[in-house]
Structures are given as structure tokens and as C-alpha cells.
Amino acid sequence: MPISGVPWWRDAVMYQIYLRSFRDGNGDGVGDLRGARAGLPYLAMLGVDGLWLSPCFPSPQHDHGYDVADYCAIDPLFGDLAEFDLLVADAHGLGLKVILDVVPNHCSREHSWFRQALKAGPASAARALFHFADGRGEYGELPPNNWRAMFGGPAWTRIQEADGRPGQWYLHLFTPHQPDFNWRHPNVADSFDDVLRFWLDRGVDGFRIDVAVGLFKHPELPDSPDPTADEDARDAVNPLAWNQPEVHEVWRRWRTICNAYSARDGKERTLVGEVAVPAPADQAAYLRPDELHQAFYFDLLHTPWDAAAFRTRIDAALKDIVSTGAPVTWVLNNHDQQRTPTRYSRGTQPGEEPDPERGAARARAAALLMLALPGSAYLYQGEELGLVEVTDLPSEALTDPIVAATGEPAKGRDGCRVPLPWTGEQAPFGFSDGPPHRSWLPQPHWFARYAVQRQRGDSGSSWHLYRDALQLRRSLTSLRDATLHWLPGPPDTVVFGRGSGFVCAVNFTDAPVTAPVPGKPLLSSLPCDDGKLAANSAAWWLVNRLPD
Ligand code: NOJ
């Protein structure tokens, strides 16, 4: 619930619906808008403030919708505009905000502009909307520069011209199916203004912006001194391809559009950017008061399970981001990352086997930590179930383009995208009413123990932990205070206070420690008896006075 006078997005907990894996409403094995609508009461009961919907626009689905062929329509795979309108209305009826994913760096090769560009030929106006260039080498047989795509392979693909001869090359920082727009062309910016207005007119409360450090490239497109940097890091590292100063002009323009809507109807909108930059200080530039409202703080997600490292990252975020006036937007999971219980189960010593139980405990503790921090937080569907990564999907089932580009199944993201288990003992576990085993990625039999229905009946489940935490987060006035105070605690713990009497403590060690606060906690990620904080656990307390 919004705290009165504070814009809702500043401390909202949003739930990411990865549409194709959330819930299938038409029995074809792929999640869709009808299924998402049916799941809205579940989100309301969980206690989140709203949802972020992954791309649902017409797309050949080479990157599961992040290859957009038409920005102002719905892919029939997911439903239609009428269904979308109903989803927004239902969500609003339940007090849930709706954030839509917008993908401005690149589109699909099926986008009408790109198809026209292919036909129109070199030096045409249609090609100027993308980055087309002649190749190097005697016959133009070499790409225009040495950049590599983030998902692997060259960042350029050569086309066949209308006469059948090999022709120009186009730039794509992701897959060849995703040509990058040329944002130096005014029509690109104008057309995205229209896209925003189209969806704002349909009632959305904001946008999650894909690759918000992209859009502009160095104007000369020169060779990179470190061409494989992006590919190696699978992140936006090439300083010639990302984070160009001109991109800030776009975010000012988009903020102005959102502000105009808010001024008209008094309802706040938010722009939350996927701003993957090396340091929080760089991220702060995107959060200036006239730019993005929010940006995911990925540093916490990338932090190993270590008390000092967590504290350093939290400090850095609070120092650099909060100085802009923006809240920090915390995130531990999303559709591109290995799920926390699996990530935290990894051993820290060479040769150490993963420990799933320890991973599950740490993921629960990390959730309580994140939900106690000042700012906003984004949950990824299934996170509330403690769902683990599916690491043994059969190779023929893998769909992530990263696998095809690298030939390395371990780099793929399918394992965190397996459709959710809702009920029952057998696939599709209530995800779909269609025939068993029809889900677009196979669900393992052990998904049964993570099913929503089963967890709702078990007060010690991950689902109850998240729900209790979200309820407390709404009701505790101390958590409305935007500041955090570090408090002393045993070695390898993180302890902080908020407001007048809220304390959160996290034990990063594999053994119980003395709790930093006496008395029974309000909530703990594992049972917490005899003044102890269990190994790899977190707890919340309310005290009359914060310890010194
Ligand atoms: C980031 C999205 O989260 C990811 O899923 C997608 O593949 C890339 N951007 C390219 O759009």
C-alpha cells in the first residue's frame, strides 16, 4: 500500500510475471494474459504492490519477446488487446499496479521498419533507422568493426541485397534476430514517444526499460580495444557500445511524458531501468530527478554470500543512489539469473559440493534482508516459493538463444524460466489445463513439493515467509523511515535498524550465533530459539529502543 504522500513506486514490492511461465489460460502450454489474470488474486493475497509483465508484444519469440515486431499490439500467443485491458482493469481493481516491459534498444527482424530497410537498399532512409554499414575487406566480407554480441558471436550480420548479392551488415548487440535501432535518427525517438503514450492511455502505471544503458553507440562505431568484453562478462561492458551520454536525453524525454500523464490525473507513473553499469555511482546518473525514477540495483544480486560483501554493497547503494533522491530498487532474482537457492548453494572452496539445504536457507534469509531495506524491491515469480533452478533440462528442450550462440548449455537461462507449479502432484501442476507435459519447458516431478497449494497449507513454507514479511512491511511504521542504521552484531552477521525500533539481523555463518536482540523475533527465516539466530538465517524484531 502506498504510504500517504509518498509516491507508491518508492517502496513498492513488485512481482515479475514472466508471462510464458506464469500461468496458461488456453491450454497450449505457454503462459498468457488470461492465465495472468487468473493469477492476480494470488498476487493480491501474497501482498505485493503490483506486477511487471515481461514483453507480450507480437514477436517471433527468438528471445522470448525481447525481439519485438510491433510495439503497439499483443502477440496472439498471449492474447489480445481486449484481454490486456481486462488484465489492467482487474489488477487495478485489486489495488495492483501494472508495469510493462519496453524494449527500445533493438527490435525484431520482423519489425516492419527492418523489413522495409532490407528492401530499400544501401543509403536509403529506411536503412538509416538502424546501423547498416558496408563491410571491410576487399569484398566487404568482414564486419564493419570488431564488436561481439553480448550473447556470443559477432555483433554484425551480413544481409543479402534485393538482387541476391551479399550486401551490407547490420548491428545487433544481442542476437542477429534483434537489430539495434539508430537512436541518432529522430524518427526512432518520436516513435517510442508514441509507444509510451499508447500504453499509458491503456492505463499502465509505468515501464520496465530493457537495456536502458543501450540505445546510443559511439557515433563512429570504432573497433573496440577489448572486443570480447561484453561476451565474457555477459554484461554491458564495451564503453563504445553502451552508456553513451546521449541516452540521458531519452530518459528526460520519457520522464516528461510520464509527468504529463501524472499531472493530468494525479496518478504517479514509474520508469524502472535495467541499468547494468559497473558501479552504483554510474547508475546514479540515470536516476537524476528528471530521468528514470528507478533502476534495478544488480550489485546485490551478484554479491556472494558474505556479510562484509553484502554490507559494502548496501552501503554503496545507499550512498550513491539515495544521493540522487531516488530510492534503491533491490532485486535478487529475475528471468536472466540463476535462482537464489541454487546460487547460494554453491560451495565456496574448490571442489566443495553444492548444498541445496544451505542454499534454500540462505535464499530465505536474503529475502528477509532485502525486504527490510529502505526502497523498492522486485520479486521474480517462484521466488516466493523458494523455487530452485532446473539444472538438468534435456538439451533438446533448451530454448535460450544464448545456448545456440555459445554452444554452452550451462550459460542458458531456461532453468529459471520453467513454468510455475500451482497445484497437484504431476506436471503441469496446475500451470495449464492442457494435456500433461505440454508446458513449453518440461517441469520436473519434484516441482510438486514447491507447488503454491502445498505451500499455502504449510505455515513454515517459503510462501508464508514472504507473505508474512510483506504484511509486516506494510504495517510497521518504522519501515516507512527511509534511513538505515548499522548496528553491532557477532562476527559475520549483518545487523541494522530502521525507524524507531525495527531491527533486522542476518547470520551469514554455518552455525547459530547469539541474537543481537533479546526476545522472540516478529519473523524469522528459520526457527530462532533460545536467543539464537540460526545458521544462514535472518530475523526481524521490534524493540522499544534501538541498541547502540
Ligand atoms: C535483458 C532482458 O532481461 C533479457 O531477457 C534479454 O534477453 C535482453 N535484455 C535483450 O533484450
Side-chain angles (χ1 to χ4, degrees), residues 398-422:
L398 301 178
T399 65
D400 186 355
I402 293 181
V403 177
T406 61
E408 294 184 57
K411 289 194 173 165
R413 299 165 292 177
D414 293 292
C416 66
R417 300 174 176 180
V418 176
L420 287 192
W422 292 85

Side-chain angles (χ1 to χ4, degrees), residues 120-459:
S124 61
R127 288 217 177 158
L129 297 167
F130 298 91
H131 296 282
F132 277 92
D134 294 332
R136 298 196 283 198
E138 199 179 344
Y139 306 102
E141 73 280 15
L142 300 172
N145 73 20
N146 67 355
W147 295 3
R148 306 274 299 172
M150 192 186 290
F151 290 172
W156 295 89
T157 291
R158 194 172 196 188
I159 61 159
Q160 221 176 40
E161 299 295 352
D163 61 9
R165 280 189 292 188
Q168 288 197 299
W169 298 71
Y170 66 90
L171 179 70
H172 49 85
L173 293 177
F174 291 90
T175 73
H177 300 282
Q178 294 162 297
D180 281 43
F181 284 115
N182 172 16
W183 272 83
R184 295 182 193 280
H185 195 296
N187 291 11
V188 175
D190 289 346
S191 113
F192 272 95
D193 289 355
D194 293 342
V195 170
L196 294 194
R197 293 197 180 99
F198 179 85
W199 294 107
L200 287 166
D201 287 341
R202 301 195 98 89
V204 303
D205 302 286
F207 300 95
R208 176 267 186 186
I209 304 168
D210 192 61
V211 202
V213 294
L215 282 63
F216 286 85
K217 286 86 190 158
H218 186 291
E220 313 297 329
L221 300 176
D223 270 342
S224 162
D226 186 5
T228 61
D230 286 353
E231 199 177 357
D232 296 341
R234 217 182 86 196
D235 224 332
V237 182
N238 176 357
L240 305 164
W242 313 101
N243 203 14
Q244 304 296 299
E246 295 89 336
V247 76
H248 295 283
E249 189 49 49
V250 177
W251 307 140
R252 283 193 277 274
R253 188 168 169 149
W254 287 26
R255 180 82 178 232
T256 306
I257 293 174
C258 287
N259 288 349
Y261 274 78
S262 301
R264 219 175 295 155
D265 62 11
K267 294 184 194 153
E268 284 276 337
R269 271 66 175 194
T270 191
L271 297 170
V272 52
E274 187 196 25
V275 179
V277 277
D282 293 338
Q283 203 181 64
Y286 288 76
L287 293 168
R288 288 175 282 207
D290 58 349
E291 297 198 28
L292 303 181
H293 304 73
Q294 302 179 256
F296 297 121
Y297 180 66
F298 291 117
D299 278 20
L300 198 69
L301 186 156
H302 295 304
T303 304
W305 186 252
D306 175 84
F310 262 71
R311 186 170 158 155
T312 304
R313 299 290 169 93
I314 293 168
D315 258 339
L318 293 175
K319 178 170 148 289
D320 293 317
I321 294 174
V322 171
S323 68
T324 64
V328 184
T329 301
W330 309 100
V331 57
L332 290 169
N333 289 280
N334 67 31
H335 65 292
D336 294 329
Q337 305 293 335
Q338 194 173 60
R339 288 184 177 275
T340 35
T342 309
R343 216 183 315 140
Y344 294 143
S345 72
R346 289 185 212 141
T348 46
Q349 307 304 321
E352 195 182 334
E353 286 293 309
D355 179 341
E357 208 175 307
R358 193 168 63 179
R362 290 175 176 178
R364 289 166 69 108
L368 278 201
L369 167 65
M370 177 174 79
L371 293 173
L373 293 171
S376 162
Y378 274 66
L379 307 179
Y380 173 51
Q381 63 181 36
E383 178 175 344
E384 77 285 13
L385 304 176
L387 209 55
V388 302
E389 191 84 1
V390 183
T391 52
D392 58 354
L393 285 165
S395 55
E396 64 279 9
L398 301 178
T399 65
D400 186 355
I402 293 181
V403 177
T406 61
E408 294 184 57
K411 289 194 173 165
R413 299 165 292 177
D414 293 292
C416 66
R417 300 174 176 180
V418 176
L420 287 192
W422 292 85
T423 58
E425 298 298 319
Q426 275 173 4
F429 303 108
F431 161 71
S432 169
D433 290 338
H437 307 299
R438 197 162 182 198
S439 62
W440 70 277
L441 278 175
Q443 298 160 300
H445 64 89
W446 49 262
F447 256 34
R449 64 173 183 271
Y450 292 91
V452 171
Q453 192 185 39
R454 198 189 280 199
Q455 296 209 24
R456 283 184 53 200
D458 168 6
S459 61

